[in-house]
Structures are given as structure tokens and as C-alpha cells.
């Protein structure tokens, strides 16, 4: 598959293989009990799911672009972001280097 | 015989579930979206469907990336929702129609669509939010047959393939002996991108083109590659696969009865359409 859309990572077989452990951990966050366990002992929880060093560092830094580079899929990462009370405007702002207000304004501007 | 009465397609953004739970339908931010459902409610009250076939994509509730079917058809007597980890309220369960599901499954496989059959299937917000938007009351007046399309992990099925899948579902329903009024639902979209430096991408002109072409010329949209679709509609804009499958299942004379389009709801260009489907016999009688 061509990979030439700027600012876009196709979640393909390469990404899926790379991100399996990270995405599996995020999938576990469908359970409130698991979300609480993560908050209680983040590093231990990441270890339990066998995250790579790159994935652990990305989670620790809360950096969504780094999580995507480490194979994270955005639908799964959104479950992780939810634990920190972040919605898709918050993570959109973070990924584009904007404030949340600037990001929301960009969305609104697309409709004008 | 079963009759296909028409279809509804709508955005399924999770935050809509929160807005409903918090009664924000008339807030200035939400009103332009929710008021688009006044006509949908009128149409549903007039058309009185018995069953809805719902084309949608799972976001990590029923399926994980370890085993991800390209196409999966539910064959359960009841479909439950569960915690999706995003803080949206858990929806009440929706009844299924296993006999119709198995008829569709048999016909799809006979038609060489090698689908996955699910006697148990959790439904996520991509099903429950459109259902709640269409029927905000306490009970569901319809049963559902959920059809799950992979829009998450590439390679995705092509637009052409999803249009053909919908057509095969439409033919299956037309051959079902029971007198049922069946509607099609397609969920998700339109243009949006959640991930990467291109997050926040929305393409109003392309969305308009999609809605204009989908009614009478879906083949024109089926010519796009997935790569080109991501470029034009954003990484998650590929949820349009559910829309084109819905359109494919409308096998008669199709016309647009309603369209509502508003930017933004969350990070998404929000759209709702209603299509009427008049079958050949009705057309000849008219």
C-alpha cells in the first residue's frame, strides 16, 4: 500500500503487527476494573501486556503521535486517552501542535 | 414477501451518546445535528419497518485486531452493548431476527461472499447510537440484523465490494418469504480523521459529492480506491463503506427523501440521509 498521504499512517499489516501488544492493552480498557488497575500501577500493567520499550515510553509520555509510531490504532488509543479524561479534540490538538480551542476552531472553519 | 422500504445513513460519533444522556439535543452546538432527525422520525412512523439491517464497523468491542473478519453477519436473538471504555452510557439490548439472519447468511455465501457468522455479537456505539437517534423512546419497535464491515485494519474491502455486498443482501431480502418491512441502515462518516498530524481533516466538497452520487450513481463512488478515499475523506472517512453497502441493498427505484449535513460534531462532518426505495412492481403499478 502506498504511504504518501501526509500526516497519515495507514493502519496496515505492518502497523498491526508492531502495535499488537499496545492495542491489546488498550482493548482491555473496555473494563472499568482494568482501567483502575492501570491507574494504580501503570508500569506494572504495561509489563503484564508485554509492551515494547518504545510503546512503554510512548504511553508514559502521553504522546499520541509516538503511540501511533509504535503501532497504536487510534480507536484503541482513544480508550487509553479516555482514562486521562481526554477526548478526540484533546488528542487532535496534541497531534497537530495546537491548543484545544485552536483545534476546535479549525473544525468549525471546515464547515464555513 | 419481505419488502425493502428504504434506508437511513447517519454519523455514529460516540459523543452523540453523551449528548443524548445529558439531554443536550437543543444546545446550540448539537441542535443542527439533532434537528436533522425530525424528518427521520416522521419517515419511520410512516414506513413502520419491522427489521433494520445495520451496516457498521466495530471499534474494538466485539472484535479485537487478533481475529478481524472483513464481513461478519450477526445471527443472534439478542444483541448487547457493553462498556467501550469511552465513558458513553451502555445501551439497552436490541432483539435480533435469527431466521432472517440465517437466510441472509445462506444467500450471501451462495453468492460467494465468504462472511463470518456470529451467533453471539456485541454491538458497539456504531449500532446503538444510530438506533437511539432513530428511536429515542424506551423500546425498540424493530429487530436488527447487524452486518459488520472492517474499516479499521487495512487491507479494507473495496467500495466496489461493499456495494456488491449490499446488493447481495438486498436480493436475499427480496427472496425472503415472510411479509416483513425491512429498512437498511448505514452508519459512520462522513469525512473525518482522528489520528496523525492530519487530525481534524474534513472535506465538505467531497462529502457533498458523495451524497450527490450515492443516490443515483453509487458506481461512480465505487471506482475510488481505499487509498484515494483516505486522501479525500480522511483516515476514518472510510466508514463510508457502511453507507455504500446500505445503498447497494436498496434494489428498486431509489430517491433521496431527506439530507442533513453539519460541521462539526466532535471531529466529524456529520450527515444524515433518508432514501426511499420503490420496488419494480410498485413502479409498474403507479
Amino acid at each position: 500500500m502506498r504511504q504518501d498521504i501526509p500526516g497519515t499512517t495507514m493502519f496496515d499489516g505492518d502497523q498491526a503487527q508492531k502495535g499488537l501488544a499496545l492495542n491489546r492493552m488498550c482493548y482491555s480498557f473496555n473494563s472499568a476494573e482494568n482501567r483502575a488497575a492501570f491507574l494504580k500501577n501503570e508500569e506494572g500493567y504495561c509489563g503484564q501486556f508485554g509492551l515494547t520499550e518504545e510503546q512503554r515510553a510512548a504511553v508514559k509520555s502521553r504522546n499520541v503521535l509516538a503511540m501511533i509510531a509504535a503501532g497504536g490504532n487510534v480507536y484503541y488509543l482513544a480508550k487509553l486517552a479516555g482514562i486521562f479524561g481526554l477526548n478526540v479534540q484533546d488528542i487532535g490538538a496534541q497531534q497537530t501542535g495546537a491548543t484545544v480551542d485552536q483545534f476546535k476552531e479549525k473544525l468549525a472553519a471546515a464547515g464555513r | 414477501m419481505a419488502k425493502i422500504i428504504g434506508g437511513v445513513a447517519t454519523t455514529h460519533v460516540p459523543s452523540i451518546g453523551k449528548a443524548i444522556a445529558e439531554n443536550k439535543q437543543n444546545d446550540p452546538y448539537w441542535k443542527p445535528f439533532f434537528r436533522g432527525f425530525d424528518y427521520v422520525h416522521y419517515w419511520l412512523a410512516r414506513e413502520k419497518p419491522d427489521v433494520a439491517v445495520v451496516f457498521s464497523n466495530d471499534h474494538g468491542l466485539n472484535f479485537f485486531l487478533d481475529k478481524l473478519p472483513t464481513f461478519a453477519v450477526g445471527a443472534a436473538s439478542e444483541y448487547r452493548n457493553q462498556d467501550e471504555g469511552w465513558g458513553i452510557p451502555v445501551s439497552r439490548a436490541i432483539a435480533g431476527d435469527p431466521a432472517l439472519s440465517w437466510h441472509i447468511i445462506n444467500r450471501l455465501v451462495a453468492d460467494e461472499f465468504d462472511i463470518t457468522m456470529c451467533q453471539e455479537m456485541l454491538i458497539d456505539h456504531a449500532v446503538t447510537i444510530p438506533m437511539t437517534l432513530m428511536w429515542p423512546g424506551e423500546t425498540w419497535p424493530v429487530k436488527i440484523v447487524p452486518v459488520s464491515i472492517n474499516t479499521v485494519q487495512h487491507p479494507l474491502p473495496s467500495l466496489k465490494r461493499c456495494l456488491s455486498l449490499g446488493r447481495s443482501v438486498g436480493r436475499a431480502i427480496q427472496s425472503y418469504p415472510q411479509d416483513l418491512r425491512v429498512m437498511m441502515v448505514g452508519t459512520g462518516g462522513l469525512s473525518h480523521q482522528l489520528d496523525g498530524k492530519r487530525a481534524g481533516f474534513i472535506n465538505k466538497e467531497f462529502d457533498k459529492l458523495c451524497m450527490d452520487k450515492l443516490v443515483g450513481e453509487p458506481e461512480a463512488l465505487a471506482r475510488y480506491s481505499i487509498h484515494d478515499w483516505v486522501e479525500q475523506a480522511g483516515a476514518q472517512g472510510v466508514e463510508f463503506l457502511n453507507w455504500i453497502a446500505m445503498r447497494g441493498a436498496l434494489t428498486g427505484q431509489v430517491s433521496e427523501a431527506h439530507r442533513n449535513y453539519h460541521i462539526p460534531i466532535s471531529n466529524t462532518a456529520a450527515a444524515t440521509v433518508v432514501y426511499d426505495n420503490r420496488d419494480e412492481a410498485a413502479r409498474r403499478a403507479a
Side-chain angles (χ1 to χ4, degrees), chain A residues 1-2 4-8 10-13 16 20 23-24 27 29-30 32 35 65 68 73-76 78-79 88-89 92 95-96 103 106-108 110-112, chain B residues 57 59-66 83-86 152-155 192-202 204 227-228 230-231 235-236 239 263-264 266-267:
Chain A
M1 183 171 290
R2 291 179 299 155
D4 57 357
I5 302 172
T8 304
M10 291 284 195
F11 189 75
D12 60 7
L20 190 61
N23 292 318
R24 181 173 277 132
Y27 180 57
F29 298 144
N30 284 348
R35 296 194 290 271
L65 290 175
I68 291 169
N73 175 279
V74 74
Y75 289 135
Y76 290 86
K79 297 176 197 283
V88 288
Q89 283 88 62
Q95 293 175 93
T96 55
F103 187 74
K106 177 176 125 173
L107 294 168
R112 293 194 284 266
Chain B
N57 55 299
H59 304 69
L61 180 66
N62 187 67
F63 298 113
F64 178 56
L65 306 170
D66 59 339
D83 190 343
E84 296 179 49
W86 296 335
V152 176
Q153 183 165 276
H154 294 256
H192 66 301
Q193 177 153 343
L194 303 175
D195 50 338
K197 290 184 177 167
R198 198 172 178 240
F201 175 81
I202 284 175
K204 190 177 172 179
H227 183 276
D228 290 346
V230 169
E231 191 159 47
Q236 284 73 41
E239 288 175 338
I263 297 172
S266 189
N267 291 16

Side-chain angles (χ1 to χ4, degrees), chain A:
Chain A
M1 183 171 290
R2 291 179 299 155
Q3 298 276 342
D4 57 357
I5 302 172
T8 304
T9 305
M10 291 284 195
F11 189 75
D12 60 7
D14 291 339
Q15 288 297 105
Q17 290 178 70
K18 195 174 179 188
L20 190 61
L22 173 59
N23 292 318
R24 181 173 277 132
M25 180 179 84
C26 293
Y27 180 57
S28 79
F29 298 144
N30 284 348
S31 144
E33 198 180 315
N34 291 338
R35 296 194 290 271
F38 173 83
L39 284 171
K40 201 171 165 188
N41 177 5
E42 186 175 320
E43 287 193 16
Y45 200 87
C46 289
Q48 200 183 312
F49 280 85
L51 266 61
T52 63
E53 281 308 314
E54 183 191 6
Q55 289 168 347
R56 283 177 200 231
V59 170
K60 197 172 180 182
S61 69
R62 312 287 189 250
N63 184 313
V64 177
L65 290 175
M67 292 181 211
I68 291 169
N73 175 279
V74 74
Y75 289 135
Y76 290 86
L77 298 178
K79 297 176 197 283
L80 171 63
I83 296 181
F84 308 122
L86 302 175
N87 64 29
V88 288
Q89 283 88 62
D90 297 317
I91 68 171
Q94 190 206 78
Q95 293 175 93
T96 55
T99 66
V100 176
D101 282 342
Q102 285 168 342
F103 187 74
K104 286 181 177 170
E105 172 49 31
K106 177 176 125 173
L107 294 168
R112 293 194 284 266

Side-chain angles (χ1 to χ4, degrees), chain B residues 9-269:
Chain B
T10 185
T11 300
H12 63 222
V13 177
S15 62
I16 296 167
K18 255 188 214 170
I20 292 171
E22 294 166 5
N23 270 314
K24 288 186 173 167
Q25 291 90 334
N26 287 315
D27 281 15
Y29 181 86
W30 289 102
K31 197 173 179 178
F33 174 70
F34 279 99
R35 76 177 171 210
F37 279 82
D38 292 348
Y39 182 86
V40 180
H41 298 153
Y42 159 79
W43 186 85
L44 291 168
R46 189 186 77 196
E47 296 294 332
K48 297 184 176 58
D50 301 302
V51 181
V53 177
V54 185
F55 297 93
S56 72
N57 55 299
D58 182 81
H59 304 69
L61 180 66
N62 187 67
F63 298 113
F64 178 56
L65 306 170
D66 59 339
K67 304 174 195 72
L68 187 59
T70 298
F71 300 126
V73 180
S77 56
E78 185 182 72
Y79 300 93
R80 287 179 302 108
N81 181 220
Q82 273 178 10
D83 190 343
E84 296 179 49
W86 296 335
I88 57 172
V90 173
S91 167
R92 60 196 187 280
I94 307 176
D97 184 336
L100 178 59
S101 287
W102 282 107
H103 175 78
I104 292 171
I105 287 166
N106 287 328
R107 290 301 175 120
L108 280 173
V109 175
D111 227 356
E112 300 182 345
F113 283 91
D114 305 319
I115 47 100
T116 296
M117 311 160 219
C118 300
Q119 291 206 71
E120 292 179 8
M121 185 191 258
L122 293 170
I123 48 170
D124 78 355
H125 66 273
V127 176
T128 62
I129 285 178
M131 288 294 289
T132 308
L133 285 165
M134 290 189 286
W135 292 284
E138 290 298 307
T139 55
W140 308 113
V142 295
K143 294 177 176 177
I144 61 168
V145 175
V147 180
S148 184
I149 298 179
N150 167 33
T151 72
V152 176
Q153 183 165 276
H154 294 256
L156 311 183
S158 67
L159 287 128
K160 179 168 173 267
R161 186 66 173 158
C162 293
L163 180 63
S164 301
L165 174 83
R167 285 177 172 159
S168 185
V169 169
R171 287 193 297 272
I173 287 164
Q174 283 183 308
S175 70
Y176 194 60
Q178 203 181 326
D179 284 331
L180 286 177
R181 295 175 65 77
V182 182
M183 69 177 289
M184 299 295 149
V185 180
T187 90
L190 286 175
S191 62
H192 66 301
Q193 177 153 343
L194 303 175
D195 50 338
K197 290 184 177 167
R198 198 172 178 240
F201 175 81
I202 284 175
N203 189 343
K204 190 177 172 179
E205 286 71 31
F206 187 68
D207 288 341
K208 184 175 183 302
L209 173 90
C210 291
M211 289 185 286
D212 288 348
K213 294 279 183 200
L214 189 62
V215 192
E217 212 186 330
E219 300 81 5
L221 300 174
R223 284 197 285 269
Y224 282 81
S225 69
I226 292 291
H227 183 276
D228 290 346
W229 204 273
V230 169
E231 191 159 47
Q232 292 295 322
Q236 284 73 41
V238 291
E239 288 175 338
F240 193 79
L241 293 177
N242 303 317
W243 283 53
I244 204 165
M246 173 282 285
R247 172 61 186 85
L250 306 180
T251 48
Q253 174 87 1
V254 180
S255 57
E256 184 184 82
H258 172 68
R259 179 193 296 193
N260 187 54
Y261 183 74
H262 172 71
I263 297 172
I265 288 300
S266 189
N267 291 16
T268 302

